[in-house]
Amino acid sequence: MIYDSSPHHPLTPTDLEVPLRMRRLRELGLGEQPDPEFDDFARKLTEVTGAPYAMVNFISEDRQYFAGLHTVAKGDPSASPGRVMDRDHGYCPHVVVRRKALVLDDVCDYPRFAGNPVVDEIGIRSYLGAPLIDRTGTTLGTICVVDVEPRPWGRPGLETIKAMAAELITQIHRREDSR
């Protein structure tokens, strides 16, 4: 676990919902493999927000899995996130535990978030994410967009990411109901 050097708070929050989430993800058949529908949804996120990276992310006890991933970033392809990331990398674990959307126009403005490994390893400077809370009340994961430049997401970004999360949850519920 990574710690913030100032007040010694864990940078990655403790997630007490992991067992429930893992059981629910298994029921839904999610979070273990790439999903073309989620890749399409991530593509849509990049189009709607103009961000270079978008993910549909399911989080376990020790890792994050991007079942949906899209990038329009130019330059070094190795800078693009792969499908798996440690749980202590990035901001989605905070969104899952908080059960609320998170808007970071410039991650460097927030000491708690500026020290995250994705800042140095991938160059992430801004983040916009929302939780995927299903009909059982379980937070399955997140959707998010990130950029290597600061972005003024503001209230419009917050409303957009929340609406997109609701849209994806509806899609997941339809998929479950059609089984």
Side-chain angles (χ1 to χ4, degrees), residues 96-172:
V96 166
V97 170
R98 291 165 29 117
R99 299 173 61 89
K100 293 181 182 177
L102 178 62
V103 179
L104 299 171
D105 295 339
D106 186 343
V107 299
C108 295
D109 288 343
Y110 305 89
R112 178 181 196 107
F113 298 117
N116 196 284
V118 297
V119 174
D120 293 330
E121 293 175 18
I122 304 174
I124 300 303
R125 285 294 300 273
S126 61
Y127 172 90
L128 179 62
L132 297 170
I133 302 173
D134 82 344
R135 61 175 63 137
T136 69
T138 305
T139 305
L140 303 174
T142 66
I143 60 168
C144 71
V145 294
V146 296
D147 201 337
V148 296
E149 300 292 332
R151 303 258 321 223
W153 303 112
R155 170 118 352 239
L158 175 64
E159 296 306 321
T160 297
I161 202 72
K162 288 167 56 176
M164 297 295 288
E167 181 180 324
L168 185 58
I169 280 295
T170 298
Q171 184 178 332
I172 290 169

Side-chain angles (χ1 to χ4, degrees), residues 14-52:
T14 302
D15 185 352
L16 302 176
E17 197 177 43
V18 171
L20 178 61
R21 177 179 319 107
M22 297 312 298
R23 185 170 40 253
R24 184 68 176 134
L25 288 172
R26 278 190 298 279
E27 287 173 6
L28 295 168
L30 300 175
E32 294 294 322
Q33 59 195 11
D35 186 308
E37 287 181 36
F38 294 157
D39 284 341
D40 288 344
F41 195 86
R43 179 191 47 73
K44 182 176 176 180
L45 282 169
T46 61
E47 292 170 358
V48 168
T49 64

